[in-house]
Amino acid sequence: MTVAHVVEPLGSDELRAAHTLFSAAIHRGPADDAGWARTSQLYSPGRTFGARVDGALVGTATSFPSELAVPGGASLPMGAVTRVGVRADHTRRGILTALMRAQLADAAERGEPFTSLRASEARIYGRFGYGLATRGRTVRVRADATLLRPEAPRGGTVRLLARDEIVPVLRDVHARIALRRPGGITRTDGWWSMAVARRVEVERAHVLAAVHTGPDGDDGFAIAYRGEGPEFPERALELFDLHAADLPATAALWRFLLGVDLVESVQGNLRPLDEPLELLLSDPRACAVRGHEDETWLRIVDVPAALAARGYGAAEPVLLGVHDPVLEANAGVYRIADGASERVGPLDGPVRPELECTAAGLAMAYLGDRRPSELVATGWWSAPDPAAVPRADAAFATPAAPWCGTYF
Ligand SMILES: CC(=O)SCCNC(=O)CCNC(=O)[C@H](O)C(C)(C)COP(=O)(O)OP(=O)(O)OC[C@H]1O[C@@H](n2cnc3c(N)ncnc32)[C@H](O)[C@@H]1OP(=O)(O)O
């Protein structure tokens, strides 16, 4: 059943109501004044949509401006979509569909070639062209710094930050290093205020924040809290954030965390799939992998711009057909050759594609998370010409697993 609804951008005077609606949709109460003062900063002017039925607000979605690092070193504007919710008595009537369409049209108008989000449930966003583009793993490491192999990279020095240094220092370090890996995104001041400063200043929580200094200055950091809740054993640290420019800095930060007194384990959620913890440890079993989860879902809003912006591995040319019923301007046949991409015709034109995918399927390979061959094998892509599959694998290959590392 669909109902008559209107979707439109919300003014600043309606953001608190939108946030309360979202909070209720995820079974949380409304923010108090102090909480709202923090959390409101994630809302960027003009980027929140509301859906109304008979004048009443029944659905909302917002985004904040960010940049996304793509393979090859470039980064492009991206809308970081968050706080999506529909009132429980209005679900399954097309409200989210209308919000998503409005938001994607808005991103296209703003010239943002991507939107990205973290999904509360994995079945929601594929129909709008989102594909699972980065994944992570949850690891629990026995806390014992002597477990790091003597030959493991040592890095430079690690220092703890005072509470009032945490946000200003880490914001700058993150901005310097976040876009080195495909999938990395920039954070707004509103993000820092909501995600970190709130914990430090409003909740007065104990925060262990450490910075690594390498040969070129500060190049990595970690934020950890005492793990709370039934999933954490006694004396566990929960690693909220660990970004580093390279492996020596990563190893030094882990060595530091594993050596903190009165800590028996350190749990990192959604760590990069290729973070080589087991290779750094003398006892690889000290690192228990507790699960793999989806991290970010990517919507390629402007396929020609996105395909042109990323780098490609050395490969013979590939003709890729992209289908996109939601954003039809993306549909067409793209030729990827000599490290570049161009659209060479419509899907029903004389240039026949060797491989075909949807926007969601393309997003799964775009940052390097999945190889075209695995997507063909599992039916996400089709291969009218199977000989093109290894060529596509070589073209889309990336040296590192894509990873975002920012919760939004
Ligand atoms: C980025 C983020 O903020 S993630 C947080 C998302 N929000 C939540 O999870 C809060 C709780 N849930 C909700 O608010 C709503 O159920 C939403 C936003 C997930 C979906 O809103 P709705 O208005 O019900 O979606 P809509 O009616 O447009 O659904 C479109 C299609 O998606 C399907 N769908 C929607 N939600 C789900 C779901 N959770 N699981 C499976 N299918 C779903 C619908 O069945 C429908 O399919 P159909 O066209 O074949 O009938």
Side-chain angles (χ1 to χ4, degrees), residues 1-2 21-27 58-62 80-88 90-100 116-125 127-128 407-408:
M1 178 176 78
T2 53
L21 191 158
F22 162 71
S23 299
I26 57 165
H27 307 291
V58 297
T60 184
T62 192
V81 173
T82 183
R83 298 178 175 174
V84 176
V86 171
R87 227 171 70 177
H90 280 73
T91 54
R92 310 303 180 265
R93 298 165 201 200
I95 304 287
L96 175 65
T97 305
L99 286 164
M100 286 283 113
S116 174
L117 54 79
R118 305 281 186 118
S120 58
E121 291 183 89
R123 290 190 305 165
I124 299 175
Y125 295 102
R127 70 190 67 231
F128 308 116
Y407 185 80
F408 57 95

Side-chain angles (χ1 to χ4, degrees), residues 1-63:
M1 178 176 78
T2 53
V3 287
H5 52 258
V6 178
V7 169
E8 57 191 8
L10 295 180
S12 55
D13 55 331
E14 289 185 286
L15 296 183
R16 193 160 181 176
H19 190 67
T20 300
L21 191 158
F22 162 71
S23 299
I26 57 165
H27 307 291
R28 293 213 186 126
D32 61 15
D33 288 347
W36 174 242
R38 290 282 160 195
T39 208
S40 60
Q41 295 180 38
L42 199 67
Y43 287 95
S44 295
R47 300 187 66 115
T48 304
F49 286 91
R52 290 182 221 281
V53 171
D54 295 333
L57 195 63
V58 297
T60 184
T62 192
S63 66

Side-chain angles (χ1 to χ4, degrees), residues 3-329:
V3 287
H5 52 258
V6 178
V7 169
E8 57 191 8
L10 295 180
S12 55
D13 55 331
E14 289 185 286
L15 296 183
R16 193 160 181 176
H19 190 67
T20 300
L21 191 158
F22 162 71
S23 299
I26 57 165
H27 307 291
R28 293 213 186 126
D32 61 15
D33 288 347
W36 174 242
R38 290 282 160 195
T39 208
S40 60
Q41 295 180 38
L42 199 67
Y43 287 95
S44 295
R47 300 187 66 115
T48 304
F49 286 91
R52 290 182 221 281
V53 171
D54 295 333
L57 195 63
V58 297
T60 184
T62 192
S63 66
F64 63 86
S66 181
E67 265 186 51
L68 173 72
V70 306
S75 59
L76 282 83
M78 184 271 280
V81 173
T82 183
R83 298 178 175 174
V84 176
V86 171
R87 227 171 70 177
D89 56 355
H90 280 73
T91 54
R92 310 303 180 265
R93 298 165 201 200
I95 304 287
L96 175 65
T97 305
L99 286 164
M100 286 283 113
R101 283 186 178 273
Q103 196 175 52
L104 289 173
D106 183 57
E109 241 170 68
R110 289 174 188 275
E112 290 174 349
F114 303 104
T115 57
S116 174
L117 54 79
R118 305 281 186 118
S120 58
E121 291 183 89
R123 290 190 305 165
I124 299 175
Y125 295 102
R127 70 190 67 231
F128 308 116
Y130 282 88
L132 179 48
T134 67
R135 291 173 294 143
R137 61 178 194 155
T138 297
V139 291
R140 183 174 291 168
V141 189
R142 196 177 346 133
D144 177 352
T146 65
L147 281 172
L148 267 102
R149 295 170 49 248
E151 305 83 4
R154 299 205 70 82
T157 56
V158 174
R159 72 180 193 280
L160 270 186
L161 295 178
R163 293 174 81 83
D164 60 353
E165 294 178 300
I166 294 175
V167 171
V169 172
L170 299 192
R171 189 179 47 202
D172 289 354
V173 180
H174 181 267
R176 272 206 302 285
I177 64 177
L179 297 176
R180 291 186 177 215
R181 182 196 276 262
I185 69 169
T186 53
R187 298 169 174 178
T188 58
D189 287 352
W191 184 93
W192 282 99
S193 176
M194 188 268 312
V196 180
R198 180 174 58 175
R199 206 137 187 175
V200 177
E201 291 161 20
V202 182
E203 296 171 8
R204 309 290 299 161
H206 174 61
V207 178
L208 198 69
V211 182
H212 177 266
T213 308
D216 300 321
D218 293 348
D219 60 1
F221 68 91
I223 303 177
Y225 312 118
R226 197 171 62 126
E228 280 170 10
E231 71 186 282
F232 289 99
E234 282 291 294
R235 296 187 166 182
L237 277 184
E238 178 180 8
L239 182 56
F240 170 75
D241 220 0
L242 191 160
H243 283 261
D246 55 22
L247 189 54
T250 304
L253 287 162
W254 273 104
R255 184 180 279 106
F256 171 75
L257 293 168
L258 297 176
V260 174
D261 283 345
L262 305 182
V263 172
E264 287 171 10
S265 64
V266 178
Q267 177 160 319
N269 303 321
L270 282 172
R271 299 300 306 155
L273 291 184
D274 58 1
E275 183 171 50
L277 282 169
E278 294 88 338
L279 292 173
L280 296 174
L281 297 166
S282 56
D283 176 2
R285 291 187 195 172
C287 171
V289 178
R290 298 173 58 81
H292 291 83
E293 295 103 45
D294 48 310
E295 194 199 26
T296 57
W297 293 71
L298 180 68
R299 203 329 164 172
I300 304 180
V301 175
D302 185 338
V303 170
L307 284 178
R310 67 154 281 177
Y312 296 93
E316 292 297 309
V318 179
L319 289 166
L320 177 63
V322 178
H323 298 253
D324 192 346
V326 177
L327 295 173
E328 286 173 3

